[in-house]
Amino acid sequence: MLQCTRVSTLPVGELAAELLAAGHQPVEQFRTYTGACLYVWCELGEHSDGKHADLISEEDVNGEYLWFLWDDNGGHRFEYLPACVADAPDGDDVCHFFRQHPGDHSWKVTDPVMDAMRSEVKRQMRGWQSDG
Ligand SMILES: [Zn+2]
Ligand SMILES: [Zn+2]
């Protein structure tokens, strides 16, 4: 299953307020988002229901992670959600999406852009090895 292609802008002021309300020092994350990235990408597999979602912080807060959720009508919110952690059939991976996410588990989702970047890096590394 391909990754969902929805993109949204991140309301940085709301993010700072959210992190402060949760007792975080938002400085590091704030720097990350005010630096280059004001956009969020839906990480989920293609889905026709539910909200789009991007993981904002990998910092565990009481077993939950901060997600930015949005819909196609401009509605959005930040929410701390527990991880899905469904096991992949080969036992090598667990789903890093939130519990009861729409679409397939993360280990079934393919991001063609990331795949293209990985194969470009591999191609370049082969070039470096043959240079030496
Ligand atoms: Zn989506
Ligand atoms: Zn899952």
Side-chain angles (χ1 to χ4, degrees):
M1 173 185 265
L2 291 175
Q3 185 172 334
C4 178
T5 54
R6 291 301 204 292
V7 175
S8 179
T9 51
L10 186 70
V12 176
E14 289 179 40
L15 172 61
E18 188 68 40
L19 292 170
L20 283 169
H24 288 281
Q25 291 296 326
V27 178
E28 280 309 313
Q29 279 120 332
F30 209 45
R31 194 173 293 147
T32 304
Y33 284 103
T34 52
C37 177
L38 286 169
Y39 290 92
V40 285
W41 283 260
C42 184
E43 294 188 32
L44 305 176
E46 288 175 314
H47 56 107
S48 54
D49 60 334
K51 296 195 182 308
H52 304 292
D54 197 357
L55 181 64
I56 295 301
S57 173
E58 294 184 8
E59 189 179 347
D60 177 334
V61 179
N62 302 322
E64 299 185 332
Y65 301 87
L66 183 60
W67 287 82
F68 180 68
L69 306 172
W70 74 97
D71 61 34
D72 292 329
N73 302 314
H76 64 261
R77 67 173 187 270
F78 291 96
E79 193 167 341
Y80 285 90
L81 297 165
C84 171
V85 299
D87 283 312
D90 61 9
D92 256 6
D93 208 354
V94 293
C95 178
H96 70 263
F97 297 156
F98 51 89
R99 202 174 293 163
Q100 295 180 327
H101 59 84
D104 274 337
H105 297 299
S106 62
W107 33 261
K108 276 178 99 174
V109 176
T110 307
D111 176 356
V113 175
M114 196 56 76
D115 287 350
M117 287 168 73
R118 280 196 196 100
S119 50
E120 176 59 17
V121 168
K122 279 185 193 157
R123 192 187 65 75
Q124 290 185 2
M125 286 175 71
R126 276 197 299 273
W128 297 334
Q129 283 162 357
S130 59
D131 285 348

